[in-house]
Amino acid sequence: MKDIDAIAVLQDPVRRRLYEYVVAQGREVGRNEAAEAAGVARTLAAHHLDKLTQVGLLESGSRRLTGRSGPGAGRPAKVYTRARVERSVSLPARDYRTAAELLAEAAEQAGLDAVLCAAARRRGEGLRGSAAPCGGLEEAMEALAVRGYEPHVEAAGGEGGVSVVRMRNCPFHAVAERFPPLVCGMNLALLEGLIGADGPVRARMDARPGECCVVLEDSKNNEH
C-alpha cells in the first residue's frame, strides 16, 4: 500500500482519535481502553483499530490484560501499538532523507561534529527567537511538542521524585540510526539552543531504545 493511501485513512475523525490515543500512550493499548478514550463503542473501535493495522499505521498483538496467567486468567486480548515503519507524502516527490544521509556521512568523515553542533545550537536559538529561555519543563514540553518530539513526563526514582521529560519520537530517527553520535550530538545542541542553556531546564543525553536520545530535567535538581 502506498503511503498516501495509508495516511488517507486518518481522514475519518474517529479513526484519527483512536490512532492519536494509541500513539500518545507509548505502550500496548487494548480495545476497551481505546474505545473509552475515543468515546465510541468497543465494536466500532475494534473495526477502526483493525483498519489502522491493515494499512500499516498500527501493529497488533495479543496478551492477557489481567496480569494473571494459568486457568481462570481469561483469553488474551488484542492490543495495539504504533507501527515502526515511517509514512510520508511529498508532492511533488522529494528525497531529503538521502541528502541528509550524504551530508551526515560527509560531516562524520571530515570530523565536523563540533561545527555541526555549533550550527545546530545557533539554529535552536534562532527558533526560540527573542523569547527568554524556557521557564520550566511544562514550557519546554510545549516547544518540543510543536516540533514533533512527543514529550512526556517520567517520574524518575530516587530522592525527591525528580521529573524527567522523555520524548517518544525523534524527528531525525532515520539519519540518527545510521550516524548516531553525529546526529544525536546535533540534536542535543539544537535542543539546548531551543530551550536556552542558561534557563532552569537542562538537556542531556540518555538514550533509550525507541525514543529520542535526549531528555530534559529541571536543572535545579542537579545543583550540589
Side-chain angles (χ1 to χ4, degrees):
M1 173 174 289
K2 295 181 179 179
D3 286 0
I4 191 170
D5 296 324
I7 294 172
V9 305
L10 294 174
Q11 184 175 359
D12 182 284
V14 173
R15 197 172 290 161
R16 181 157 189 170
R17 287 204 306 273
L18 288 165
Y19 175 76
E20 290 176 344
Y21 179 78
V22 172
V23 166
Q25 304 319 299
R27 56 172 173 80
E28 294 176 329
V29 175
R31 287 172 168 175
N32 288 339
E33 178 186 349
E36 183 177 352
V40 297
R42 182 183 184 279
T43 52
L44 180 60
H47 167 73
H48 285 308
L49 290 167
D50 286 341
K51 180 62 177 180
L52 290 165
T53 302
Q54 179 184 341
V55 300
L57 294 177
L58 296 180
E59 294 177 356
S60 64
S62 62
R63 67 177 177 87
R64 288 188 173 89
L65 300 178
T66 60
R68 297 177 296 172
S69 60
R75 297 175 57 188
K78 200 163 187 179
V79 292
Y80 303 84
T81 56
R82 173 164 53 185
R84 286 164 286 188
V85 65
E86 294 182 12
R87 301 283 185 178
S88 63
V89 176
S90 176
L91 298 174
R94 297 288 187 261
D95 188 5
Y96 299 114
R97 176 173 172 175
T98 296
E101 290 178 345
L102 288 171
L103 289 169
E105 182 178 356
E108 187 174 74
Q109 292 179 354
L112 298 177
D113 303 57
V115 176
L116 177 60
C117 286
R121 191 170 288 105
R122 289 194 300 270
R123 174 58 65 90
E125 293 170 350
L127 292 171
R128 178 160 51 88
S130 59
C134 291
L137 290 179
E138 185 175 345
E139 185 179 342
M141 289 177 68
E142 292 177 1
L144 293 171
V146 169
R147 306 204 64 79
Y149 282 91
E150 299 179 10
H152 65 100
V153 176
E154 175 185 83
E159 185 178 354
V162 178
S163 293
V164 174
V165 172
R166 293 189 178 273
M167 293 164 270
R168 294 194 176 98
N169 183 52
C170 172
F172 315 110
H173 173 73
V175 187
E177 277 194 317
R178 288 196 57 189
F179 309 95
L182 181 76
V183 177
C184 290
M186 177 201 75
N187 188 29
L188 175 61
L190 176 71
L191 293 183
E192 286 175 339
L194 181 63
I195 65 176
D198 298 328
V201 180
R202 183 174 78 105
R204 62 177 175 85
M205 289 285 195
D206 188 10
R208 177 182 290 184
E211 293 188 343
C212 178
C213 58
V214 179
V215 299
L216 304 182
E217 59 189 12
D218 191 331
S219 60
K220 291 182 293 185
N221 292 318
N222 297 282
E223 295 177 355
H224 298 288

